[in-house]
């Protein structure tokens, strides 16, 4: 458990980024940090990583008192590190820093490059890649490291639907392997698909936190699949060359994904139509304004 | 740690300003190899220096042309390196890689020490190659192995190392490469001798402040004078050069202390 106690961060010119935050973040969960711009989400992540020093308060991980004892992996927001470095050199550089053995590192890099479909761009300079591709490289960098905690700052921004889907699968896999994933994102409807625990910040203050299962209301999703399944469980509509199915509720959605996967049908996109998280978040923010 | 030093070394190698320096050194080596020849008299002394096909009396070349050219060359090399330092140190602290490096097992102290070592190691190797190349060219042309080039470049390297730590400090504090380079030049080369001149005429209170400032600045002017005197007198005062070493540690420690305190937020 990450115990955050009375955490305050005041930057120069008296800018208050975080104000007296106290919360326990549960281990082995997917935690979403939500908030408007300037809510203090990124500052909170950087304090957890030890990059930013708190003005007061502390962070205690698993009652050890020492943050550095635990392995963190991090995807910074607006990921573009160095325009002049090649993708492969970048990944090998960080792989070496993370202490991964050379052969194992090369195999992992190749696998991830194939997974995110950027293998052909491995010898390109990062400045020549699109924003989405840079984020994919950043994600690979974060995934190369076997960590206890994965902190992903805006990981889906600029990603195409297929890559988002893959990223979601990876996040679930990390959780199943015992890691804790902390995500900072504006895309609430998407977070609702995988987050277990929500932390809502507003202007540096913690205004609420809760488990996703405690969230009332049901979200609706539109799932696009590549071909028509031979079943009578769901209703499908034809859309150009693909098929659409509307699903109510996150649990039904998870069942549907498993069902479609079992028939080896490709899921092209999952689009939330209405989101209970969005309603919950908006109502909280409205109260603050 | 090696990975980090190699990474900084690579960044220095690909830096456009450093490439200008490399090109300049290559041109000098090419000129010395292909366009510089010596003609000897009957007693075995160099009588004429042939450069680009023109014959120059050895006396004039060694006493007038060579010192002027050397001073000019050293001046240009120094200016390029000082501006490069500004650029390299500012990038070292503004590097977006730092966030990711620091969450691996690399501490802040290691990060800065590796960056500092990588940058200065590059110039040490560069100077070693350049002075060896010049000495070998002279050796093959005159059968006389000279050590002046090594002494000059060792001396210059220590001088640059002192400048390097000052620019490192200001690169970190100001995060502006032009101002850091400018201070790197002004601070030790102009301000230090100016203070030493006015210190005796100041009132007692001001004298104490000026003296404190004076002793905070490495004795770079002495060192630079030493470097240049080698051409004329072969005098080499190691004590004064070694005096800069405590200054190097002092400035480096200040940066390390401050860097441990800052937020890595960029």
């Amino acid at each position: 458990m990450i115990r955050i106690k009375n955490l305050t961060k005041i930057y120069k010119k008296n800018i208050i980024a975080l104000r007296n935050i106290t919360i326990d973040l549960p281990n082995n969960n997917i935690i979403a940090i939500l908030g408007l711009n300037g809510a203090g989400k990124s500052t909170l992540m950087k304090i957890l990583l030890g990059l930013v020093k708190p003005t007061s308060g502390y962070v205690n991980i698993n009652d050890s008192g020492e943050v550095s004892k635990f392995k963190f992996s991090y995807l910074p927001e607006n990921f573009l590190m160095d325009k002049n470095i090649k993708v492969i050199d970048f990944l090998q550089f960080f792989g070496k820093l993370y202490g991964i053995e050379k052969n194992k590192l090369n195999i992992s890099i190749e696998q991830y490059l194939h997974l995110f479909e950027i293998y052909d761009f491995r010898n390109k300079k990062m400045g020549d890649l699109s924003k989405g591709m840079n984020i994919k490289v950043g994600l690979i960098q974060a995934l190369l490291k076997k960590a206890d905690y994965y902190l992903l700052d805006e990981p889906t921004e600029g990603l195409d639907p297929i890559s988002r889907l893959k990223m979601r699968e990876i996040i679930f896999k990390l959780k199943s392997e015992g890691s804790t994933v902390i995500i900072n994102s504006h895309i609430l409807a998407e977070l609702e698909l995988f987050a277990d625990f929500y932390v809502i910040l507003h202007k540096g203050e913690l205004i609420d936190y809760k488990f996703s299962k405690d969230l009332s209301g049901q979200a609706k999703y539109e799932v696009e699949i590549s071909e028509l399944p031979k079943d009578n469980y769901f209703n499908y509509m034809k859309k150009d060359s693909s098929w659409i199915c509307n699903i109510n509720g996150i649990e039904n959605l998870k069942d549907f994904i498993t069902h479609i996967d079992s028939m080896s049908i490709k899921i092209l996109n999952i689009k939330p139509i209405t989101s209970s998280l969005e309603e919950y978040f908006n109502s909280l923010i409205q109260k603050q304004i | 740690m090696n990975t980090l030093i190699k990474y900084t070394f690579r960044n220095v190698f690909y830096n456009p300003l450093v490439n200008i320096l490399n090109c300049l050194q290559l041109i000098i080596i090419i000129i010395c190899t292909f366009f510089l020849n010596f003609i000897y008299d009957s007693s075995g002394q160099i009588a004429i220096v042939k450069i680009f096909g023109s014959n120059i009396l050895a006396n004039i070349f060694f006493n007038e042309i060579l010192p002027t050219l050397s001073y000019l060359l050293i001046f240009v090399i120094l200016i390029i390196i000082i501006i490069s330092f500004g650029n390299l140190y500012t990038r070292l602290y503004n590097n977006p890689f730092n966030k990711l490096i620091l969450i691996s097992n690399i501490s802040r102290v290691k990060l800065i020490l590796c960056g500092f070592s990588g940058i200065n190691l590059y110039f040490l190797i560069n100077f070693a190659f350049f002075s060896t190349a010049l000495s070998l060219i002279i050796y093959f042309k005159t059968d006389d192995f000279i050590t002046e080039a090594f002494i000059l470049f060792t001396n210059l390297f220590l001088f640059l190392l002192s400048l390097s730590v000052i620019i490192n400090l200001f690169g970190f504090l100001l995060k502006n490469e032009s101002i850091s380079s400018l201070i790197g030049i002004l601070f030790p080369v102009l301000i230090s001798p100016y203070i030493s001149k006015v210190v005796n005429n100041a009132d007692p209170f001001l004298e104490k402040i000026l003296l404190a400032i004076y002793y905070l600045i490495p004795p770079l002017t002495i060192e630079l004078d030493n470097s240049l005197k080698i051409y004329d007198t072969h005098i080499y005062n190691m004590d004064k050069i070694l005096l800069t070493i405590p200054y190097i540690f002092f400035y480096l420690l200040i940066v390390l202390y401050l860097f441990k305190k800052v937020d890595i937020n960029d």
Side-chain angles (χ1 to χ4, degrees), chain A residues 157-189:
Chain A
E157 208 161 275
L159 285 190
D160 55 77
I162 304 290
S163 302
R164 284 184 188 185
L165 205 66
K166 283 176 183 166
M167 203 209 66
R168 277 201 291 268
E169 285 166 10
I170 288 169
I171 288 172
F172 283 130
K173 190 168 168 267
L174 293 173
K175 186 192 161 189
S176 70
E177 288 168 354
S179 298
T180 303
V181 184
I182 301 175
I183 298 170
N184 168 8
S185 175
H186 290 292
I187 309 169
L188 304 184

Side-chain angles (χ1 to χ4, degrees), chain A residues 246-279:
Chain A
N246 289 323
I247 308 286
N248 290 334
I250 187 75
E251 292 308 319
N252 287 338
L253 179 70
K254 284 174 187 169
D255 291 344
F256 180 73
I257 292 170
T258 317
H259 177 64
I260 293 295
D261 270 349
S262 69
M263 291 185 284
S264 302
I265 293 173
K266 211 172 173 185
I267 296 173
L268 302 175
N269 197 8
I270 301 174
K271 197 167 94 184
I273 306 166
T274 57
S275 157
S276 49
L277 177 61
E278 226 161 54
E279 284 168 18

Side-chain angles (χ1 to χ4, degrees), chain B residues 241-256:
Chain B
I241 301 301
L242 290 175
L243 191 63
T244 55
I245 291 172
Y247 282 96
I248 292 166
F249 280 105
F250 172 70
Y251 277 92
L252 208 49
L253 280 173
I254 293 176
V255 173
L256 292 176

Side-chain angles (χ1 to χ4, degrees), chain A residues 9 11 46 49-53 72-74 76 79 81-82 85 90 93-94 96-98 141 145, chain B residues 3-4 7 10-11 96-106 108 260-265:
Chain A
K9 176 66 191 176
Y11 286 116
K46 285 173 192 162
L49 291 162
L51 297 173
V52 168
K53 315 266 178 193
F72 284 94
S73 192
Y74 179 45
F79 187 85
M81 289 275 124
D82 182 343
I85 195 164
F90 171 80
F93 171 71
F94 278 102
K96 278 182 203 165
L97 273 190
Y98 298 153
Q141 166 277 134
K145 191 175 178 183
Chain B
T3 314
L4 261 187
Y7 166 71
R10 172 195 160 277
N11 279 352
F97 273 32
N98 289 352
K99 283 183 277 194
L100 296 178
I101 293 170
L102 290 172
I103 62 151
S104 57
N105 291 328
I106 307 289
R108 291 184 182 215
K260 278 182 89 170
K261 302 269 172 202
V262 294
D263 292 336
I264 310 295
N265 224 347

